[in-house]
Amino acid sequence: AGNYSLTSVATTTADITALEITGNFTADNKVYDGNASATVLTRTLNGVHGSDAVTLTGGTATFANKSVANGKTVTLAGATLAGADAGNYSLTSVATTTADITALAITGTFSSANKVYDGNTDAAASNRQVVGAVAGDVVSLSGGTATFATKDKGTNKTVTLAGATLAGADAGNYSL
């Protein structure tokens, strides 16, 4: 080395590739509305260095299906990275989360015919319907016992339907 003098060191090239990171999110619970859409509450990233300006943004959150249940899987598809340092990172995946879809409260209606006094409060329920169900869902009002408030003669007497339930393929998504 003593026989040489270093006049310069040449430069070279190398690559810096994007750091692979993963994302997480939380989803909001919702009341049944006939679709599987979900709302994102929070978004986080795993693996970001220091105070780099990079965030998880966009995408569409969906429940596994539209039906009522607790702890349903929610996925976020199409999310991307944003921020001044986003180009330094590559989003490899976004973890799923869970949220609940709770039953939609609906009301039932019915009609009852007039009757001739017979010494009891029995009434006949007809024209049973539900109010507030999502269009296209198969849900109906079923069963129950209709009764007049009293057995005595009178006009515009209140008739009550007790013990009615919901029926149909989508009944589990509703509460009466």
Side-chain angles (χ1 to χ4, degrees):
N3 297 323
Y4 296 91
S5 122
L6 183 61
T7 59
S8 69
V9 176
T11 61
T12 190
T13 61
D15 298 335
I16 298 177
T17 59
L19 176 62
E20 293 182 344
I21 60 174
T22 59
N24 293 302
F25 73 103
T26 60
D28 199 5
N29 297 328
K30 76 173 190 174
V31 175
Y32 175 79
D33 61 4
N35 66 63
S37 65
T39 301
V40 174
L41 288 178
T42 64
R43 300 166 191 260
T44 58
L45 290 169
N46 303 318
V48 174
H49 287 291
S51 60
D52 278 0
V54 60
T55 59
L56 183 64
T57 188
T60 302
T62 55
F63 284 93
N65 60 49
K66 70 176 187 171
S67 300
V68 167
N70 291 329
K72 295 179 67 83
T73 298
V74 181
T75 58
L76 180 62
T80 59
L81 299 175
D85 296 310
N88 295 321
Y89 296 91
S90 171
L91 182 63
T92 59
S93 65
V94 177
T96 62
T97 191
T98 60
D100 304 336
I101 298 179
T102 58
L104 175 62
I106 58 175
T107 57
T109 64
F110 70 100
S111 300
S112 185
N114 296 331
K115 77 173 193 173
V116 174
Y117 175 78
D118 62 4
N120 66 53
T121 60
D122 296 346
S126 61
N127 194 28
R128 299 165 194 254
Q129 296 180 12
V130 293
V131 178
V134 173
D137 275 3
V138 179
V139 60
S140 60
L141 187 63
S142 178
T145 303
T147 55
F148 283 95
T150 68
K151 67 179 178 84
D152 300 319
K153 173 189 159 281
T155 58
N156 291 320
K157 295 183 64 101
T158 299
V159 178
T160 304
L161 181 62
T165 59
L166 297 173
D170 295 306
N173 296 317
Y174 296 94
S175 64
L176 185 60

